[in-house]
PDB file of all heavy atoms in Angstrom:
ATOM      1  N   PRO B 349      79.644  79.959 145.501  1.00  0.00           N
ATOM      2  CA  PRO B 349      80.225  80.471 146.726  1.00  0.00           C
ATOM      3  C   PRO B 349      81.474  79.799 147.137  1.00  0.00           C
ATOM      4  O   PRO B 349      81.639  78.632 146.943  1.00  0.00           O
ATOM      5  CB  PRO B 349      79.014  80.328 147.736  1.00  0.00           C
ATOM      6  CG  PRO B 349      78.097  79.413 147.254  1.00  0.00           C
ATOM      7  CD  PRO B 349      78.331  79.523 145.740  1.00  0.00           C
ATOM      8  N   CYS B 350      82.428  80.583 147.739  1.00  0.00           N
ATOM      9  CA  CYS B 350      83.776  80.114 148.101  1.00  0.00           C
ATOM     10  C   CYS B 350      83.765  79.827 149.624  1.00  0.00           C
ATOM     11  O   CYS B 350      82.926  80.010 150.215  1.00  0.00           O
ATOM     12  CB  CYS B 350      84.872  80.962 147.548  1.00  0.00           C
ATOM     13  SG  CYS B 350      85.019  82.501 148.503  1.00  0.00           S
ATOM     14  N   TRP B 352      85.343  81.565 151.707  1.00  0.00           N
ATOM     15  CA  TRP B 352      85.241  82.875 152.267  1.00  0.00           C
ATOM     16  C   TRP B 352      83.704  83.206 152.442  1.00  0.00           C
ATOM     17  O   TRP B 352      83.343  83.716 153.444  1.00  0.00           O
ATOM     18  CB  TRP B 352      85.953  83.953 151.551  1.00  0.00           C
ATOM     19  CG  TRP B 352      87.421  83.716 151.518  1.00  0.00           C
ATOM     20  CD1 TRP B 352      88.130  82.964 150.635  1.00  0.00           C
ATOM     21  CD2 TRP B 352      88.499  84.332 152.362  1.00  0.00           C
ATOM     22  NE1 TRP B 352      89.456  83.047 150.897  1.00  0.00           N
ATOM     23  CE2 TRP B 352      89.742  83.813 151.914  1.00  0.00           C
ATOM     24  CE3 TRP B 352      88.360  85.161 153.430  1.00  0.00           C
ATOM     25  CZ2 TRP B 352      90.909  84.164 152.664  1.00  0.00           C
ATOM     26  CZ3 TRP B 352      89.522  85.525 154.130  1.00  0.00           C
ATOM     27  CH2 TRP B 352      90.902  85.025 153.595  1.00  0.00           C
ATOM     28  N   CYS B 353      82.920  82.846 151.519  1.00  0.00           N
ATOM     29  CA  CYS B 353      81.506  83.132 151.470  1.00  0.00           C
ATOM     30  C   CYS B 353      80.817  82.362 152.617  1.00  0.00           C
ATOM     31  O   CYS B 353      79.923  82.808 153.230  1.00  0.00           O
ATOM     32  CB  CYS B 353      80.781  82.833 150.186  1.00  0.00           C
ATOM     33  SG  CYS B 353      81.366  83.812 148.807  1.00  0.00           S
ATOM     34  N   CYS B 452      82.424  89.563 148.968  1.00  0.00           N
ATOM     35  CA  CYS B 452      83.488  88.583 148.900  1.00  0.00           C
ATOM     36  C   CYS B 452      84.445  88.975 147.822  1.00  0.00           C
ATOM     37  O   CYS B 452      84.295  88.695 146.643  1.00  0.00           O
ATOM     38  CB  CYS B 452      83.049  87.081 148.720  1.00  0.00           C
ATOM     39  SG  CYS B 452      84.414  86.052 148.705  1.00  0.00           S
ATOM     40  N   HIS B 454      87.221  87.540 147.335  1.00  0.00           N
ATOM     41  CA  HIS B 454      88.040  86.306 146.848  1.00  0.00           C
ATOM     42  C   HIS B 454      87.332  85.606 145.595  1.00  0.00           C
ATOM     43  O   HIS B 454      88.029  85.527 144.647  1.00  0.00           O
ATOM     44  CB  HIS B 454      88.203  85.316 148.027  1.00  0.00           C
ATOM     45  CG  HIS B 454      88.952  86.072 149.153  1.00  0.00           C
ATOM     46  ND1 HIS B 454      90.294  86.225 149.202  1.00  0.00           N
ATOM     47  CD2 HIS B 454      88.359  86.780 150.223  1.00  0.00           C
ATOM     48  CE1 HIS B 454      90.613  86.932 150.269  1.00  0.00           C
ATOM     49  NE2 HIS B 454      89.527  87.260 150.880  1.00  0.00           N
ATOM     50  N   CYS B 455      86.113  85.248 145.709  1.00  0.00           N
ATOM     51  CA  CYS B 455      85.490  84.514 144.577  1.00  0.00           C
ATOM     52  C   CYS B 455      85.314  85.402 143.524  1.00  0.00           C
ATOM     53  O   CYS B 455      85.227  84.936 142.268  1.00  0.00           O
ATOM     54  CB  CYS B 455      84.476  83.600 145.038  1.00  0.00           C
ATOM     55  SG  CYS B 455      83.224  84.286 145.934  1.00  0.00           S
TER      56      CYS B 455
HETATM   57 ZN1   ZN C 501      83.511  83.999 148.097  1.00  0.00          ZN
END
Side-chain angles (χ1 to χ4, degrees):
Chain B
C350 73
W352 295 83
C353 293
C452 179
H454 303 274
C455 49

